[in-house]
Amino acid sequence: MSRTLILWFRQDLRLHDNPALQAALADAERIIPLYIHDDTTAWAPGAASRWWLHHSLTALADQLKQRGSRLILRTGESTGVVQQLIDETGADAVYCNRIYEPALLKRDKQLHRQLKDNGITFSVYQGNLLREPDTVHNLSGQPYKVFTPFYKCYLREGWDNHIYKTPGQLPGVSTRIKSEKIADLDLLPTIGWDSGFYDHWQPGEAGAWKQLRRFLRDDLADYHQARDVPSLQGTSCLSPHLHFGEISVRAILAELDRQGPRKQGEGFIRELIWRDFAHSVLFHFPHTTDKPFDERFRNFKWKQSKKLLQAWQQGQTGYPIVDAGMRELWHTGYMHNRVRMIVASFLTKNGMIHWKQGAEWFWDTLVDADLAANSMNWQWVAGCGVDAAPYFRIFNPVTQSQKFDKEGLYLRRWVPELASLPNKYIHEPWKAPDEIQQAAECIIGEDYPEPILDLKATREAALEAYKKQITRKS
């Protein structure tokens, strides 16, 4: 038991239910907790993710310190950093939990070969999903491409429910091992666009559990209905905590069972399995981060419009529900799930802008930016991915707003220039008579933009373009 082992934290910034940590405690006397900030990989964290990471690492470092350990921070290309720390410490093993981004999986395989050649153990554990993607196949032995049978497979076959407890004490780390400071990673923005984040989020393991218990106590019972209403906090808001591994999905389900009957949480469980589905798609079809799953769309002629893209990014399209969502995103690093579908449909279907341009903006501005979910969901809306929405499904931002934000509460919060408009016109402010606009102190074209595009005309154009593409390639 005199081994020295490196415990490599990645997307598992927690101590509770951490399989790699538990294995390390069982196998080694000296454990060196390590986090590597590596910006050399594809799809390096965006600005909002970096903000979250700063605070999540701070929380993890505090937890380790309270238990007698400390977090070693290094920057650089991961393979080289790991090897350097091995050379410094004489460690003969590296333990970590598996991650699924294609570039990172490739890197792990290369590192495994390199360490094995040098007699170093490289052990990887499953701590971030319910099941490993390569263990879930259909009756033909192929990966699932449609969610419903994938979901039924999970319900039929189940998953490992074992939960590892948080250790009370951890081995100390020699002061001779140098560590960078979290502040030196330069993760926080240099301008204060993140000021609104602090009112909405508490990154870290404690924040994850606080958020889970709030959701189970206050919102789970109404989840099936409230999750579609953007003015309500009806969703769990656990996605950033899950992405950074501050809480495990198994622990969430265990807490759900402890709180009450699982049947009440069926809709929520379905969303957690959807997350596993996204990772399965990414694992089996790694090209979908940049290219459409549906090959019929490989050469689809998307449009280029800097004006439309910028108006969409800035929440200045003239369609209130779209603008509200984009402004919520900029202010909080988050956007309500239904509104995400609306703004994505608007950009890709009405605007005919490439889905990847929307995915890249979300990647940079979402605190819960996750490569598997982001890639799959954008392709789902655009109609070119696995289990995609039919090409003729185009979300109408006006009718969606009228249905799910009937009183305009969400619109008034995030598009305050429309706040004084009556409900009759707030969803379509350009239709308000001049006297109504003047009374509301909101002149369309001056205080709030006119619609940047025509919904009916762009819908018909999109349907025609999609139909031609599918017919041509079928």
Side-chain angles (χ1 to χ4, degrees):
M1 268 291 280
S2 61
R3 299 178 68 191
T4 298
L5 182 151
I6 295 172
L7 176 64
W8 185 10
F9 284 95
R10 285 110 67 92
Q11 293 170 7
D12 52 351
L13 306 182
R14 67 181 186 273
L15 302 185
H16 180 264
D17 194 33
N18 188 318
L21 170 59
Q22 291 297 320
L25 288 169
D27 295 347
E29 184 178 75
R30 293 182 293 275
I31 298 174
I32 305 169
L34 170 69
Y35 183 85
I36 304 171
H37 183 58
D38 184 354
D39 268 340
T40 67
T41 59
W43 293 95
S49 293
R50 289 166 66 90
W51 175 89
W52 190 285
L53 179 60
H54 173 94
H55 296 287
S56 189
L57 287 174
T58 300
L60 177 63
D62 288 344
Q63 281 194 300
L64 290 168
K65 184 177 180 181
Q66 291 169 12
R67 289 164 176 80
S69 181
R70 67 187 179 100
L71 182 62
I72 302 301
L73 291 168
R74 299 284 174 93
T75 58
E77 192 277 318
S78 296
T79 302
V81 171
V82 168
Q83 186 60 59
Q84 181 182 14
L85 189 58
I86 290 172
D87 294 340
E88 288 178 24
T89 63
D92 62 0
V94 178
Y95 284 15
C96 57
N97 290 307
R98 186 169 285 109
I99 47 183
Y100 301 93
E101 286 87 338
L104 304 186
L105 276 173
K106 182 179 179 180
R107 182 196 66 194
D108 280 2
K109 290 179 181 178
Q110 294 172 340
L111 180 60
H112 188 191
R113 289 194 295 268
Q114 175 182 315
L115 295 181
K116 184 179 180 181
D117 290 344
N118 294 325
I120 306 297
T121 301
F122 184 67
S123 297
V124 183
Y125 299 86
Q126 201 293 92
N128 292 325
L129 301 176
L130 288 173
R131 294 182 59 174
E132 288 284 22
D134 55 3
T135 68
V136 186
H137 300 94
N138 60 24
L139 295 178
S140 301
Q142 298 299 312
Y144 286 97
K145 302 175 185 178
V146 178
F147 175 66
T148 298
F150 180 92
Y151 172 68
K152 290 180 178 178
C153 172
Y154 264 53
L155 296 185
R156 181 175 64 252
E157 298 181 4
W159 48 82
D160 179 13
N161 289 314
H162 183 77
I163 303 293
Y164 297 98
K165 294 181 179 180
T166 304
Q169 192 71 15
L170 294 170
V173 178
S174 171
T175 56
R176 292 193 299 271
I177 302 174
K178 302 302 181 184
S179 173
E180 298 179 40
K181 297 179 180 178
I182 295 174
D184 294 336
L185 303 183
D186 290 327
L187 297 171
L188 295 178
T190 55
I191 58 175
W193 60 265
D194 62 325
S195 59
F197 289 14
Y198 294 90
D199 293 333
H200 293 83
W201 303 108
Q202 181 187 339
E205 189 168 357
W209 280 96
K210 180 179 178 180
Q211 183 65 24
L212 173 62
R213 287 166 178 148
R214 181 211 60 78
F215 169 68
L216 296 179
R217 181 186 68 245
D218 300 338
D219 297 322
L220 180 64
D222 298 321
Y223 178 76
H224 62 294
Q225 292 178 328
R227 65 187 296 267
D228 277 326
V229 182
S231 62
L232 300 177
Q233 192 173 348
T235 58
S236 73
C237 294
L238 286 168
S239 50
H241 298 290
L242 278 166
H243 170 72
F244 286 94
E246 298 167 349
I247 191 169
S248 76
V249 66
R250 291 181 304 204
I252 290 173
L253 290 175
E255 189 71 9
L256 178 64
D257 285 342
R258 193 181 71 81
Q259 295 271 350
R262 176 170 285 200
K263 186 172 179 61
Q264 187 183 48
E266 285 181 350
F268 179 54
I269 294 171
R270 186 181 179 91
E271 293 304 311
L272 294 175
I273 296 176
W274 175 267
R275 176 176 176 269
D276 261 43
F277 181 55
H279 280 84
S280 176
V281 170
L282 183 65
F283 179 84
H284 291 290
F285 308 103
H287 67 278
T288 55
T289 59
D290 298 279
K291 299 177 182 178
F293 172 82
D294 189 336
E295 293 189 357
R296 295 176 298 180
F297 288 88
R298 286 287 177 93
N299 298 312
F300 188 73
K301 295 190 180 301
W302 301 99
K303 293 182 178 179
Q304 294 286 338
S305 175
K306 185 176 181 180
K307 177 184 176 182
L308 175 57
L309 182 62
Q310 287 184 342
W312 178 81
Q313 291 171 339
Q314 296 169 6
Q316 295 289 340
T317 68
Y319 288 98
I321 191 73
V322 174
D323 295 340
M326 299 307 294
R327 296 182 194 188
E328 178 190 21
L329 171 60
W330 185 257
H331 184 73
T332 70
Y334 191 79
M335 189 191 301
H336 187 276
N337 180 64
R338 173 157 291 277
V339 184
R340 294 188 195 200
M341 294 188 289
I342 296 169
V343 304
S345 177
F346 182 85
L347 186 70
T348 59
K349 297 286 182 68
N350 296 103
M352 295 294 288
I353 302 295
H354 199 301
W355 60 269
K356 192 178 175 184
Q357 290 190 271
E360 288 171 345
W361 183 254
F362 271 28
W363 182 258
D364 198 39
T365 54
L366 281 170
V367 293
D368 65 353
D370 181 273
L371 191 58
N374 197 45
S375 303
M376 187 180 77
N377 289 337
W378 269 95
Q379 290 200 33
W380 182 87
V381 175
C384 59
V386 296
D387 201 17
Y391 76 89
F392 50 80
R393 183 179 187 182
I394 300 175
F395 288 81
N396 184 305
V398 174
T399 56
Q400 288 283 310
S401 181
Q402 291 169 335
K403 182 177 181 180
F404 295 106
D405 191 34
K406 186 177 180 180
E407 302 299 319
L409 300 177
Y410 180 72
L411 303 185
R412 288 185 170 88
R413 179 180 183 185
W414 295 112
V415 191
E417 56 265 48
L418 302 176
S420 296
L421 281 174
N423 292 347
K424 180 179 179 180
Y425 297 110
I426 195 167
H427 307 283
E428 301 174 281
W430 60 90
K431 291 186 176 181
D434 290 345
E435 61 271 20
I436 297 293
Q437 294 183 33
Q438 291 171 1
E441 297 182 343
C442 181
I443 307 302
I444 304 306
E446 296 180 13
D447 303 304
Y448 182 71
E450 295 178 349
I452 197 168
L453 52 73
D454 181 275
L455 291 180
K456 182 179 180 181
T458 53
R459 182 181 188 277
E460 291 174 353
L463 289 174
E464 183 64 23
Y466 271 68
K467 186 177 180 180
K468 283 183 179 179
Q469 186 75 11
I470 289 175
T471 302
R472 184 185 305 120
K473 295 294 183 178
S474 296

